[in-house]
Amino acid sequence: MRISDLQMKKIINITSGKSIGNIVDVNVLEDGRIESFVIDSSKSFFSFNKDSENIVLWNDIDKIGEDVILVRKG
């Protein structure tokens, strides 16, 4: 799976059921493993801070589906 494929998926927090945002960048470790995703939440309807960005750790990801990525945060 390519990073561009992941960027097309919606990021959903399964704890709250809300959309977190879209992947805008990926932090990769020296050995090539993904450490985290940088999420731009400014496109979210519920976002009050239009410049806000979140980090989703690889370990927070519960499931990568066909259309969404489910994460467990907070």
Side-chain angles (χ1 to χ4, degrees), residues 48-64:
F48 294 105
N49 182 0
K50 296 300 179 192
D51 295 325
S52 64
E53 287 187 345
N54 295 314
I55 300 292
V56 172
L57 298 175
W58 181 257
N59 293 335
D60 291 338
I61 295 175
D62 197 55
K63 178 86 172 168
I64 298 176

Side-chain angles (χ1 to χ4, degrees), residues 22-27 36-40 53-56:
N22 298 337
I23 297 173
V24 293
D25 202 3
V26 178
N27 296 320
S36 62
F37 295 116
V38 178
I39 308 298
D40 178 11
E53 287 187 345
N54 295 314
I55 300 292
V56 172

Side-chain angles (χ1 to χ4, degrees), residues 1 3 5 7 20 26 33-35 44 46 48-49 52-54 56 68-69 71 74:
M1 180 174 292
I3 299 299
D5 295 333
Q7 289 178 313
I20 296 176
V26 178
R33 290 182 294 135
I34 295 175
E35 177 182 35
S44 172
F46 298 104
F48 294 105
N49 182 0
S52 64
E53 287 187 345
N54 295 314
V56 172
V68 297
I69 298 174
V71 299

Side-chain angles (χ1 to χ4, degrees), residues 18 24 43:
K18 294 183 180 180
V24 293
K43 295 178 184 173

